[in-house]
Amino acid sequence: MTTGPREPLAPPETIWPYIGVGCLTTVVGFFGGGMIAVLVGKVVDGITGCRPADGLPACLWWRYVLIGGLIGGIGLPVMALVRMRRGRRAPTDATR
């Protein structure tokens, strides 16, 4: 019995993996982007001389968290889904 090379199995074409990855990376991106933005806020406070109240990380920290969270909550899922789609198409586009 001789067996030739087998074709790789194609992943199923459903939307559920994309929804799962998108939802997970949205939450992670929001909080990660918010934390990075608060770090930027602390640097800005150090440069401008603003002193936050006791227990707060930075002056106007909520603005930094919202802006950084929105950027991270949109940017990370978009990047992850683009990479995921490109990876799923890679076996069929191997001739390029």
Side-chain angles (χ1 to χ4, degrees):
M1 279 189 188
T2 60
T3 58
R6 292 185 178 183
E7 294 280 327
L9 295 175
E13 291 296 324
T14 64
I15 195 158
W16 295 110
Y18 295 106
I19 291 174
V21 169
C23 290
L24 182 65
T25 55
T26 299
V27 174
V28 171
F30 178 81
F31 287 107
M35 288 191 294
I36 292 170
V38 170
L39 177 64
V40 170
K42 288 183 73 70
V43 170
V44 169
D45 287 349
I47 293 171
T48 61
C50 180
R51 299 192 48 85
D54 289 338
L56 294 178
C59 297
L60 302 174
W61 66 271
W62 53 273
R63 286 186 184 173
Y64 291 104
V65 168
L66 286 177
I67 293 170
L70 287 175
I71 292 170
I74 293 170
L76 185 63
V78 166
M79 288 188 296
L81 292 174
V82 165
R83 294 283 301 178
M84 186 176 174
R85 288 195 68 191
R86 192 176 300 157
R88 285 180 165 224
R89 276 194 242 156
T92 60
D93 293 341
T95 58
R96 290 186 186 179

